[in-house]
Amino acid sequence: MKTKKVAFYTLGCKLNFSETSTIARSFKDEGFDRVDFKDKADIYVINTCSVTENADKRFKTIVKQAQNVNPDAFVAAIGCYAQLKPEELADVNGVDLVLGATEKFKITDYLNDLTKNDFGEVHSCEIEEADFYVGSYSIGDRTRAFLKVQDGCDYKCTYCTIPLARGISRSDTMENVLKNAKEISEKGIKEIVLTGVNIGDYGKGEFGNKKHEHTFLDLVTELDKVEGIERLRISSIEPNLLKNETIDLVSESRAFVPHFHVPLQSGSNTILKKMKRRYMRELYVDRVCKIKEVMPHACIGVDVIVGFPGETDEHFLETYNFLNELDISYLHVFTYSERDNTEAAAMDGVVPKHIRAKRSKMLRGLSAKKRRAFYEAQLDTERTVLFEGENKEGYIHGFTENYVKVKTPWNPGLVNTLHKVSLTSIDEDGLVRFEFVNDLASIA
């Protein structure tokens, strides 16, 4: 009998990537061969996202792509959108199986035969049942791995569907996180990115209840001691959960890099209250100042949402000016989109879509300006670069510990290696050029 082939497509966040990777390993254990999504497979698994309107729309396109390659292939949908709107996904032409938040990790149990169904079969729990933890990590890319340490969220932000899609906040055990980190380092991967829905909440639900034995600070303290890991990066952490002790630990750390991604969402306290965020802008300023005080060269990324219901021109300018004056390095800009079953969807003061788009464009422009200023401030400094594995038009790219993206002519000997460099200039494409500080004669 010929070996069955499986292909995966992941939409959304780093957490989804770590879970896809773990689910892919379960297929391997069942004797499947993993192939690229553009290749012919017997089963296509699409890990969905529901954070933006765009991710919902892309799902249908991806199903079509799979069907174009193999019209007889079995198509399964998993992930956040599959939990929130399973029937909607099951109705998409070509979809055979839809699995919710708890079922996705047992996907191979649902594949008795791969005969196409006349309509999509749904197995989706009530989200209250998503109260157990499944650890995962991704190792698709040789240079870095996404290590999941936490899942779900107990916050009630008025625009967000994640608690509905992923359930309550719960954590991996400290023992398992450290075991996974060791496994990753033994595979020769140089960088681990910690990921979760609300990782600053780590510790909650470690024992299947709300009892806390460990905190996020305990986690990073222990991870910093794991031998063989060259770099650790915190993916995204809420400002109210980013404590001074954690910032101090990163500043003195062996492996944690000076790069923080801290969601803001709005620079207007009025809008932050409407969003039910758990801080005001003053706390955000305090966090940025603390990071820069102990690590002046740290990179700080910011999430921000434009066009939230009730956001007037004045509120938006408040956000724009707040970010313009803040010592941050880049922005991830999200245009607000209405999500079913959220408080914000029923709020008055809907911002017209063309105004949302205009505000988004303004903040993207500000982000480019901020990134450029941050890169300029790093010129003539010595940093360590981890080189990536792809040949991009004759160049190899890499990132410094503080997330400056660099380039140099392609050299396969540099892939997945760390090198001390001196940053010299910014290229036309915005990437940074450098000179090696160490002698590179030994690299082929």
Side-chain angles (χ1 to χ4, degrees), residues 173-391:
T173 62
M174 177 78 84
E175 186 186 9
N176 201 47
V177 173
L178 296 175
K179 177 180 83 69
N180 284 343
K182 285 190 182 86
E183 277 178 25
I184 292 167
S185 72
E186 282 161 10
K187 293 177 195 297
I189 291 165
K190 298 282 196 290
E191 180 173 306
I192 293 177
V193 183
L194 302 185
T195 184
V197 174
N198 187 358
I199 63 174
D201 207 25
Y202 176 81
K204 195 187 279 183
E206 194 182 345
F207 305 98
N209 53 30
K210 293 295 176 193
K211 193 178 109 191
H212 264 272
E213 186 164 304
H214 297 109
T215 62
F216 185 69
L217 179 63
D218 295 335
L219 177 73
V220 292
T221 304
E222 290 308 308
L223 277 168
D224 200 35
K225 297 173 189 168
V226 177
E227 283 179 29
I229 299 172
E230 304 270 359
R231 279 186 177 182
L232 285 155
R233 203 178 288 275
I234 299 167
S235 63
S236 179
I237 184 165
E238 293 284 305
N240 50 304
L241 296 174
L242 178 56
K243 306 298 185 195
N244 282 348
E245 294 83 358
T246 304
I247 296 169
D248 285 334
L249 181 135
V250 171
S251 74
E252 296 156 10
S253 162
R254 176 194 68 79
F256 276 93
V257 294
H259 174 208
F260 294 86
H261 195 92
V262 190
L264 168 68
Q265 310 310 13
S266 175
S268 159
N269 281 344
T270 306
I271 299 297
L272 286 172
K273 283 174 188 162
K274 287 190 79 175
M275 290 176 165
K276 291 194 177 169
R277 299 293 285 160
R278 297 195 175 195
Y279 53 86
M280 293 289 101
R281 58 187 250 158
E282 290 74 17
L283 174 90
Y284 199 92
V285 173
D286 183 67
R287 300 297 74 208
V288 170
C289 290
K290 171 63 182 173
I291 292 167
K292 287 293 186 176
E293 177 197 322
V294 293
M295 289 169 278
H297 61 298
C299 179
I300 304 174
V302 183
D303 285 343
V304 61
I305 295 171
V306 296
F308 188 80
E311 184 187 64
T312 61
D313 285 345
E314 288 73 24
H315 293 137
F316 172 70
L317 283 173
E318 219 182 322
T319 295
Y320 187 95
N321 293 330
F322 178 72
L323 290 165
N324 192 31
E325 287 159 24
L326 209 54
D327 191 2
I328 51 144
S329 317
Y330 64 90
L331 307 172
H332 279 174
V333 184
F334 297 89
T335 304
Y336 172 75
S337 61
E338 288 76 3
R339 317 310 288 150
D340 291 345
N341 303 315
T342 58
E343 273 187 66
M347 287 180 181
D348 295 333
V350 173
V351 178
K353 294 228 167 136
H354 71 279
I355 293 176
R356 296 184 209 182
K358 183 182 164 191
R359 290 176 184 171
S360 175
K361 191 176 177 184
M362 283 177 71
L363 281 185
R364 286 175 207 277
L366 178 62
S367 179
K369 188 180 104 173
K370 286 283 184 185
R371 192 185 294 271
R372 177 84 188 193
F374 176 65
Y375 281 10
E376 283 174 355
Q378 301 308 307
L379 296 180
D380 301 321
T381 64
E382 285 189 6
R383 299 280 171 240
T384 305
V385 172
L386 173 59
F387 289 98
E388 315 259 302
E390 213 179 322
N391 183 341

Side-chain angles (χ1 to χ4, degrees), residues 27-304:
F27 272 89
K28 197 175 173 190
D29 294 343
E30 296 291 329
F32 282 80
D33 275 348
R34 184 176 181 176
V35 297
D36 197 89
F37 200 82
K38 22 180 219 300
D39 296 336
K40 190 172 181 179
D42 300 288
I43 174 166
Y44 292 91
V45 180
I46 304 166
N47 195 351
T48 63
C49 167
S50 70
V51 170
T52 64
E53 207 172 13
N54 193 27
D56 296 3
K57 288 173 183 164
R58 282 184 64 199
F59 176 74
K60 288 179 184 170
T61 312
I62 295 155
V63 172
K64 270 191 193 140
Q65 282 171 11
Q67 287 188 298
N68 288 342
V69 180
N70 183 4
D72 300 323
F74 191 89
V75 177
I78 60 172
C80 292
Y81 190 20
Q83 174 65 36
L84 289 173
K85 298 194 172 177
E87 306 297 341
E88 201 173 289
L89 288 195
D91 284 344
V92 172
N93 185 33
V95 173
D96 300 289
L97 178 67
V98 179
L99 298 181
T102 63
E103 293 80 6
K104 64 188 172 190
F105 293 106
K106 303 180 294 232
I107 182 169
T108 54
D109 296 352
Y110 293 92
L111 305 174
N112 300 323
D113 74 69
L114 297 180
T115 312
K116 285 200 74 62
N117 294 323
D118 294 333
F119 51 88
E121 193 182 306
V122 173
H123 296 275
S124 180
C125 66
E126 292 301 313
I127 198 59
E128 290 73 26
E129 292 167 36
D131 58 358
F132 60 89
Y133 185 86
V134 178
S136 53
Y137 59 82
S138 76
I139 47 169
D141 161 352
R142 279 168 58 191
T143 51
R144 71 175 54 81
F146 300 128
L147 172 58
K148 174 181 164 186
V149 299
Q150 182 274 343
D151 201 351
C153 189
D154 292 340
Y155 287 10
K156 300 285 187 285
C157 301
T158 55
Y159 52 83
C160 186
T161 57
I162 296 294
L164 302 172
R166 284 189 169 270
I168 58 169
S169 178
R170 53 208 189 274
S171 308
D172 204 349
T173 62
M174 177 78 84
E175 186 186 9
N176 201 47
V177 173
L178 296 175
K179 177 180 83 69
N180 284 343
K182 285 190 182 86
E183 277 178 25
I184 292 167
S185 72
E186 282 161 10
K187 293 177 195 297
I189 291 165
K190 298 282 196 290
E191 180 173 306
I192 293 177
V193 183
L194 302 185
T195 184
V197 174
N198 187 358
I199 63 174
D201 207 25
Y202 176 81
K204 195 187 279 183
E206 194 182 345
F207 305 98
N209 53 30
K210 293 295 176 193
K211 193 178 109 191
H212 264 272
E213 186 164 304
H214 297 109
T215 62
F216 185 69
L217 179 63
D218 295 335
L219 177 73
V220 292
T221 304
E222 290 308 308
L223 277 168
D224 200 35
K225 297 173 189 168
V226 177
E227 283 179 29
I229 299 172
E230 304 270 359
R231 279 186 177 182
L232 285 155
R233 203 178 288 275
I234 299 167
S235 63
S236 179
I237 184 165
E238 293 284 305
N240 50 304
L241 296 174
L242 178 56
K243 306 298 185 195
N244 282 348
E245 294 83 358
T246 304
I247 296 169
D248 285 334
L249 181 135
V250 171
S251 74
E252 296 156 10
S253 162
R254 176 194 68 79
F256 276 93
V257 294
H259 174 208
F260 294 86
H261 195 92
V262 190
L264 168 68
Q265 310 310 13
S266 175
S268 159
N269 281 344
T270 306
I271 299 297
L272 286 172
K273 283 174 188 162
K274 287 190 79 175
M275 290 176 165
K276 291 194 177 169
R277 299 293 285 160
R278 297 195 175 195
Y279 53 86
M280 293 289 101
R281 58 187 250 158
E282 290 74 17
L283 174 90
Y284 199 92
V285 173
D286 183 67
R287 300 297 74 208
V288 170
C289 290
K290 171 63 182 173
I291 292 167
K292 287 293 186 176
E293 177 197 322
V294 293
M295 289 169 278
H297 61 298
C299 179
I300 304 174
V302 183
D303 285 343
V304 61

